[in-house]
Amino acid sequence: MKKLEIGTKESIYIFILSLLYLVYGVLQFYNGLVGWMPYLGENLQIGVPVLGTYIPFAFPSIFSGLALFTVGALLLKGVYMRHQGDEKYCGYVFVGWAMAMLLMALNILVIIADILDTYYPLVWGETIEEGWSLAGDAWGIAPHLILGLLLTPFYTRMKDILRELSPMKYRISLSKKEVREWK
Amino acid sequence: MKIRVALAGNPNVGKSVVFNNLTGGHQHIGNWPGKTIDKAEGTLNYKGNEIYIIDLPGTYSLTAYSVEELIARDYIIQEKPDVVVNIVDASNLERNLYLTLQLSELGANIIIALNKMDLAKKENAKIEVKKLEKILGIPIIPMVAPRKEGMKELTDAIIKYAENPVKREIRYDEKIEKYIDEVRRIIEGKIEGLNPRWAAIKILENDEEIKKKIGKDLLSRCEEVRENMKNEVGDPEVALADARYELIKEICKDVLIKEKKVTASDIIDSVLLDKYLGIPIFISILWMIFQFGFMISAPFCDFLGDGFAQVSSALSGITGIRWLDYLLFGDYGVLNGLGMVLSFVPLIILLYFALSLVEDFGYMARAAFLMDRIMRKLGLSGRAIIPMILGLGCNVPAIYATRTIPDEKDRLVAIVTNPLMLCGARLVFFSAIVGAFWGEMGGDVLLSLYLLGVVLTFIVAIILRKTVFKGKASPFILELPPYQMPVPRVCLRKAWERGKLFFTKAGKVILPGILILGILLITSTSFAYTENAEESIAAVIGKALLPLVKPLGWDWRLLVAALFGIVAKEIVLGASALLYGVSEENIAATMASMYTPLQMYSYLVFILIYVPCIVTIGAIKQEAGTKWAVFTVIYEILLAYLVAWLVLGIGHLMGVA
C-alpha cells in the first residue's frame, strides 16, 4: 500500500477539525442527555443563527455525539501519531476521514428525506399546510455536514487506500462471450 | 449422466458464491465466516448431465469437535459424492490446504477450485498452479467466483473427473506412516463403508465417532499402537496435525511466492480493532446504520401508509355487508392493520441494505472479534457472537447458527439468550412508535433498545454460565477477511430478499393474526356484531388479565397487542392500530396522548424481552429440546416484566421526561 502523505500544514488543519469534532460531539451528547432529563439544563448551541435555527445545528442525540467525538478522537490520534513519527497514523486519519464522509452523506440524505416527507402528500392530491424549512428539519445543517465538507479535500490523499479496497480486475481465461455461453 | 458433487472448504472461501453460480440459487452470501450452517442443495443441467450439488458447511478440518465438521465429513463418508469440489482461498493457501489434506485422507475424488485469485494477486502472491497440481495429484481450477471466472472450467472438470476419478494418497513422514499402516492392517476389511487409511488416522487421533464403529477387540489392539506412537512421537493427534502442517509448509515453499507487505486491510484493522476506540467506532457504525434505515425510509413508509389508508377508504362500503366492511376496511379493520405493518417494508429494506454494506465490507467479522474480547472477559464463548449478530435480522436462523458452537453448554446459553436480540420484526413496531414519541431522538431510543438487548444477553448468559451451565467457555477461532468495497447492487439484492420474506410472512402469519384479532374486536361476548371495542371479546380478555400488568400502567389494548405479538412480533403494530382504531400516522400520536414517553419506553422494553415469537420457540425446541424452549419462554416473561418495571421506577426516580 502506498503511504498516506500528510504535510505539517495539513496536519494542523486536521488537528483543528478534530477539536471541532470533539467539541460538537460533547455538545450533542449533552443536548441528548438534556432531551431525556430536562432538569440537567438547557439545550446549547454554538452555531451561527440563520433562518430560525443554527448552523451548524447540534441536534440532541447521545449517539450522534459519540459518533462525532469518535471521529474527533481518531483524527486527533492520527495527527498525534504522525507527530511522534509513527507510521500507523495514516490508518487513524483514513478511518476518521471515512467516518466523517459517511456522517456528511447521512446528513445530506436526512435533509432530502425530510423534504420528501414534507411534500409526498402532493402525490395523493393533498395540500401542504406547512412546507419544509431548515428550522423544522430533524437534523438541519449539522456539524456532520459542515465539518465533513471541510474534510472533503483530503479525498485526493485517500485515493490510494480506496483504490486498494475496491475489487480488482483479474482475468483468468474466459472472455465475456464465453461466460455468457456458459451461463 | 447423473453426478453428485459436494462443495467443501474453509469458512469464507466463497463456497456459497460458487454454489449460487452453479445452481442459480440465492443463498445468502456474506464477507464473514460461518454462513453455511446446514447443507444447501441445488442442481445444474450442463452438457446433458444432471449435476446435483450440495454446499457443505465451512470447516477448517474434519474432526468431530463441531456439528458443522460432522455434517461435512458424514456427508462425504456416507453419501460418497462422485466429486468433492474443495474450494480453496488462493490468498490464504497454507491454511486452506489443511482441509485439502484431510479430504485426501478420506479418499474423496477431489477437484480444487482455487478461488480468490484476484485477492492473491492483490496481495502479491503468486501460485504455481501446475506445480501444485502435480505435487498434490489433484486437478486445480483457478477462479474468481464473484465474477464467474473459471466456472465453466470447473463445470467441465466436474464432468471429466466424475467419469475418471483421480484419487491419490498423500503420505506423511515415515515415523507417522508406520503407525497409520499398522492400524490400517488391523481394521482393514473390518469396518464397512470407511476408507481404512482415513479410519486409521482418526483412530490414532482418538476420534470417538470412529472408535464407536469398531469392536472392543480391534479397539484395544489399535489403542496399543496408539500408545506406542505416543511414546515415540508424543500425542498422536498433535503429531498428525504437525505432520500435515509440515507437509503444507514444504508444498508452499515450492509453489507459493509471497511478498509480505502492509495492506490497506492491515492499517484499517489496526484502527477498527483499537483497544480503546474499537468499541466507540462499533457503536458509531451501528448508530449510522439505524439512522440511515430509520430517517431515510420515513417518507417512503409514510407514503405507503397513506396509500393503504386511501385504498381502505376507497374500498369502504364495497362489500355491502356492514360487519364485513367494518372488519376489512374500517378504522379497526384488517386492511388498516396489515397496511401499517407493510408500510414498514422500506425501513426493512434500507436497514438490511446498510447492514449488507457493512457486512460485505468485512466489518461484521471485526465486530465479532471486538465483542469476543468482552465476552471472554465475562467468561462467555466468543463463538456466540455470530448468532447474536444474525439475531439482529431474525432469531430463527440465528438459533440454527448456534450449531457452529462445539461446546454444548455454550450452545445452549447462546440459544436461550438469542431471542433477547432485537430482531427485524420488533423493529417494525419500535420504529412506528419512537418517531412520534421522541422525534429526532427516535434513532437514539431505537439504538438504546438494541444495546439493552445486547447487555441483557450478556447478563443472562453470565448468570446461566455461573449457575445452570457451569464450566469454561470454549475457545473461538475467527478468520478476519480482507476489507473490500461492497457492491451496492449485491447488497440491494440481499435487502430485497429480506423485504420479500417480510411480504411472505405478512401473508402467512401477520394477516391471519390480524384477522383473528379483528374478529375478536367486532364480536361481543354474546357473539353478536359490535362496533364498540370496549364490549368486544378482545376487551374482555384484556380486561380480565389487566391486574397482572397493573404495576406497568398499561390499558387492556396494550396487553392484547402484546398477547398477539407472540404469534409474530410485527403483529404488535397492526394489532395496536386495530385496537386503538387509528391509522398509521395517528397510532403513535394517539398513544402519545395516553402514555408518557417513559411509560411507552417501558412498554417497548417489555416487547423487546418478552416471549420469542412462535417460530423462534419452535426453533429453540428443535435445537435444544422442549425443556429449554419452555425455560426460555418463562424466563423471558419474568425478565421482561422485571426490566419494564425497573425502567418505569428508575425513570421516575431520575425525573426522566
Side-chain angles (χ1 to χ4, degrees):
Chain A
M1 197 203 74
K2 281 187 190 168
K3 220 175 117 185
L4 177 72
E5 292 289 353
I6 291 172
T8 308
K9 280 182 189 168
E10 287 163 324
S11 65
I12 293 170
Y13 180 73
I14 294 174
F15 171 72
I16 294 166
L17 283 180
S18 71
L19 292 183
L20 285 171
Y21 269 105
L22 291 173
V23 168
Y24 276 103
V26 172
L27 193 63
Q28 274 206 306
F29 192 91
Y30 168 77
N31 286 345
L33 274 183
V34 168
W36 276 95
M37 291 171 263
Y39 62 86
L40 285 178
E42 280 183 4
N43 199 304
L44 285 179
Q45 296 294 335
I46 50 171
V48 183
V50 178
L51 300 168
T53 182
Y54 290 88
I55 293 179
F57 175 58
F59 61 89
S61 169
I62 290 171
F63 293 107
S64 178
L66 178 75
L68 288 180
F69 193 88
T70 305
V71 173
L74 285 167
L75 295 174
L76 193 63
K77 188 165 180 183
V79 171
Y80 175 74
M81 286 171 89
R82 185 196 166 277
H83 182 67
Q84 296 290 311
D86 189 337
E87 290 291 316
K88 284 182 188 164
Y89 81 90
C90 50
Y92 286 87
V93 174
F94 174 74
V95 175
W97 175 84
M99 281 181 70
M101 292 301 107
L102 289 174
L103 288 171
M104 178 181 74
L106 191 59
N107 197 165
I108 295 168
L109 287 172
V110 168
I111 292 174
I112 295 170
D114 270 353
I115 294 171
L116 284 176
D117 207 20
T118 308
Y119 294 106
Y120 82 83
L122 292 173
V123 178
W124 301 117
E126 293 171 18
T127 49
I128 308 294
E129 284 173 18
E130 198 181 339
W132 179 85
S133 71
L134 195 58
D137 195 277
W139 280 33
I141 296 177
H144 311 58
L145 181 52
I146 303 282
L147 299 179
L149 274 174
L150 293 172
L151 273 176
T152 312
F154 284 93
Y155 170 72
T156 50
R157 298 300 168 95
M158 309 295 170
K159 263 202 286 195
D160 281 332
I161 301 180
L162 291 170
R163 200 173 293 136
E164 201 183 316
L165 290 173
S166 58
M168 203 170 120
K169 298 239 179 298
Y170 182 83
R171 283 230 154 266
I172 292 173
S173 56
L174 291 186
S175 66
K176 274 187 182 168
K177 193 183 161 203
E178 282 174 312
V179 172
R180 269 201 304 277
E181 277 168 9
W182 174 80
K183 274 199 259 175
Chain B
M1 185 185 177
K2 282 191 176 178
I3 303 169
R4 284 177 314 123
V5 177
L7 303 184
N10 286 188
N12 204 36
V13 291
K15 279 195 322 304
S16 300
V17 188
V18 174
F19 177 83
N20 288 351
N21 284 350
L22 291 170
T23 62
H26 290 291
Q27 223 194 335
H28 183 62
I29 299 156
N31 188 15
W32 64 318
K35 269 277 160 320
T36 313
I37 292 118
D38 220 328
K39 294 174 290 199
E41 303 167 7
T43 49
L44 162 73
N45 290 306
Y46 183 66
K47 291 187 178 170
N49 296 288
E50 192 183 332
I51 306 173
Y52 167 75
I53 299 157
I54 192 147
D55 184 14
L56 299 173
T59 60
Y60 293 102
S61 64
L62 291 174
T63 59
Y65 292 138
S66 73
V67 182
E68 72 233 54
E69 291 189 6
L70 271 174
I71 291 174
R73 85 177 201 188
D74 283 355
Y75 183 82
I76 297 167
I77 296 166
Q78 285 158 18
E79 303 297 323
K80 293 188 174 47
D82 300 302
V83 176
V84 174
V85 175
N86 174 206
I87 296 153
V88 167
D89 180 350
S91 66
N92 215 334
L93 191 65
E94 299 98 317
R95 197 204 59 213
N96 280 243
L97 284 180
Y98 193 85
L99 180 67
T100 309
L101 293 185
Q102 289 203 318
L103 287 169
S104 172
E105 287 165 8
L106 257 176
N109 179 23
I110 312 166
I111 296 174
I112 292 179
L114 197 57
N115 194 22
K116 300 193 182 182
M117 289 296 283
D118 52 345
L119 213 61
K121 191 186 173 190
K122 201 191 242 182
E123 290 175 5
N124 280 359
K126 190 171 179 292
I127 299 167
E128 294 190 33
V129 177
K130 287 288 161 202
K131 208 168 176 183
L132 180 62
E133 201 170 52
K134 205 173 158 195
I135 295 172
L136 291 171
I138 298 169
I140 299 177
I141 313 294
M143 62 195 308
V144 184
R147 290 203 297 276
K148 296 189 171 70
E149 287 167 22
M151 294 307 301
K152 182 180 182 291
E153 286 88 341
L154 177 64
T155 325
D156 286 335
I158 287 171
I159 294 165
K160 183 179 166 191
Y161 293 104
E163 285 168 356
N164 311 293
V166 181
K167 290 182 187 177
R168 194 188 142 183
E169 205 172 274
I170 291 171
R171 294 186 69 82
Y172 303 113
D173 189 90
E174 263 318 300
K175 266 187 193 170
I176 306 275
E177 282 297 334
K178 69 177 181 193
Y179 292 107
I180 298 174
D181 285 342
E182 215 173 311
V183 176
R184 182 182 179 160
R185 278 194 297 275
I186 296 172
I187 59 170
E188 194 133 37
K190 286 159 191 151
I191 305 182
E192 269 182 44
L194 289 182
N195 177 307
R197 179 178 161 79
W198 180 75
I201 291 172
K202 288 291 129 186
I203 290 167
L204 289 172
E205 285 181 330
N206 207 21
D207 188 306
E208 294 298 333
E209 293 293 313
I210 304 301
K211 279 163 70 180
K212 277 181 207 160
K213 296 184 188 218
I214 58 172
K216 274 187 183 170
D217 273 3
L218 290 181
L219 188 60
S220 67
R221 286 171 64 192
C222 294
E223 288 292 352
E224 225 171 276
V225 179
R226 195 172 179 275
E227 206 49 45
N228 293 339
M229 183 178 177
K230 198 173 174 181
N231 292 333
E232 190 185 341
V233 294
D235 184 346
E237 197 176 353
V238 177
L240 276 156
D242 281 347
R244 288 186 196 108
Y245 282 120
E246 197 55 42
L247 185 61
I248 290 168
K249 211 168 121 189
E250 288 299 313
I251 294 170
C252 288
K253 211 193 284 174
D254 278 353
V255 301
L256 180 66
I257 304 156
K258 204 169 184 180
E259 184 192 310
K260 186 69 194 156
K261 61 164 193 170
V262 179
T263 63
S265 283
D266 294 335
I267 67 152
I268 296 172
D269 263 345
S270 68
V271 184
L272 295 186
L273 303 178
D274 185 282
K275 200 175 169 188
Y276 302 107
L277 289 169
I279 295 289
I281 292 172
F282 177 48
I283 297 173
S284 302
I285 290 174
L286 276 184
W287 177 79
M288 281 192 254
I289 292 171
F290 295 124
Q291 286 296 318
F292 177 79
F294 183 66
M295 304 291 280
I296 313 303
S297 68
F300 305 101
C301 293
D302 291 348
F303 179 78
L304 275 178
D306 276 7
F308 275 105
Q310 300 266 357
V311 172
S312 198
S313 98
L315 293 176
S316 186
I318 201 167
T319 64
I321 305 164
R322 188 171 163 75
W323 69 266
L324 187 60
D325 209 61
Y326 191 73
L327 174 66
L328 297 178
F329 312 117
D331 283 345
Y332 296 86
V334 172
L335 192 64
N336 178 23
L338 184 67
M340 185 180 296
V341 177
L342 286 180
S343 66
F344 281 88
V345 169
L347 171 73
I348 301 283
I349 291 178
L350 279 179
L351 196 64
Y352 283 99
F353 173 67
L355 278 170
S356 298
L357 287 173
V358 173
E359 183 182 328
D360 285 9
F361 180 62
Y363 184 70
M364 283 301 195
R366 272 76 183 180
F369 180 83
L370 278 170
M371 297 302 284
D372 178 53
R373 273 189 204 159
I374 300 172
M375 290 185 80
R376 267 188 293 124
K377 276 182 192 160
L378 299 173
L380 305 171
S381 167
R383 277 182 172 261
I385 280 296
I386 292 173
M388 271 176 78
I389 294 176
L390 287 175
L392 294 175
C394 178
N395 297 129
V396 178
I399 281 163
Y400 290 126
T402 58
R403 287 179 192 181
T404 57
I405 302 172
D407 183 271
E408 192 57 15
K409 285 178 181 172
D410 282 337
R411 201 170 88 86
L412 285 172
V413 171
I415 289 173
V416 299
T417 54
N418 196 275
L420 292 169
M421 297 302 290
L422 199 164
C423 66
R426 277 169 275 197
L427 177 70
V428 169
F429 176 63
F430 293 173
S431 304
I433 298 300
V434 295
F437 268 85
W438 290 278
E440 65 264 37
M441 282 172 65
D444 282 18
V445 174
L446 204 54
L447 185 54
S448 73
L449 289 165
Y450 271 97
L451 293 178
L452 179 66
V454 174
V455 170
L456 286 173
T457 304
F458 285 161
I459 293 173
V460 174
I462 292 167
I463 293 171
L464 289 175
R465 222 49 181 95
K466 294 209 175 220
T467 53
V468 191
F469 303 110
K470 269 186 187 167
K472 273 189 173 177
S474 59
F476 175 42
I477 300 166
L478 179 73
E479 185 200 344
L480 297 179
Y483 292 104
Q484 196 166 305
M485 283 294 181
V487 181
R489 181 176 45 84
V490 175
C491 296
L492 262 179
R493 200 180 73 191
K494 282 186 200 175
W496 175 241
E497 292 293 330
R498 174 62 66 169
K500 273 203 302 197
L501 268 182
F502 191 70
F503 273 116
T504 315
K505 199 175 176 188
K508 286 184 180 168
V509 185
I510 302 168
L511 178 62
I514 290 175
L515 190 63
I516 292 168
L517 179 60
I519 293 168
L520 291 178
L521 265 173
I522 61 162
T523 312
S524 70
T525 44
S526 54
F527 298 105
Y529 168 64
T530 178
E531 287 184 15
N532 183 0
E534 295 286 341
E535 292 172 358
S536 67
I537 295 175
V540 171
I541 296 170
K543 283 172 187 171
L545 296 172
L546 203 55
L548 293 174
V549 291
K550 205 178 171 194
L552 303 178
W554 301 357
D555 76 348
W556 66 269
R557 290 175 174 85
L558 286 186
L559 178 60
V560 173
L563 282 178
F564 273 81
I566 298 170
V567 179
K569 293 289 151 69
E570 296 94 332
I571 291 181
V572 179
L573 178 63
S576 304
L578 258 67
L579 289 159
Y580 288 99
V582 287
S583 63
E584 188 251 336
E585 61 186 25
N586 297 322
I587 179 74
T590 305
M591 284 181 160
S593 67
M594 299 172 72
Y595 298 99
T596 63
L598 184 62
Q599 279 176 313
M600 188 42 66
Y601 190 76
S602 154
Y603 183 66
L604 297 185
V605 166
F606 185 88
I607 298 294
L608 167 74
I609 307 167
Y610 89 119
V611 199
C613 69
I614 280 179
V615 191
T616 307
I617 296 172
I620 297 172
K621 183 173 172 279
Q622 192 185 337
E623 292 298 305
T626 310
K627 187 175 94 177
W628 294 113
V630 173
F631 171 80
T632 309
V633 170
I634 293 171
Y635 101 76
E636 285 211 323
I637 293 175
L638 295 175
L639 184 68
Y641 199 97
L642 176 71
V643 180
W645 180 74
L646 282 175
V647 164
L648 213 54
I650 295 170
H652 277 308
L653 281 176
M654 290 176 71
V656 171

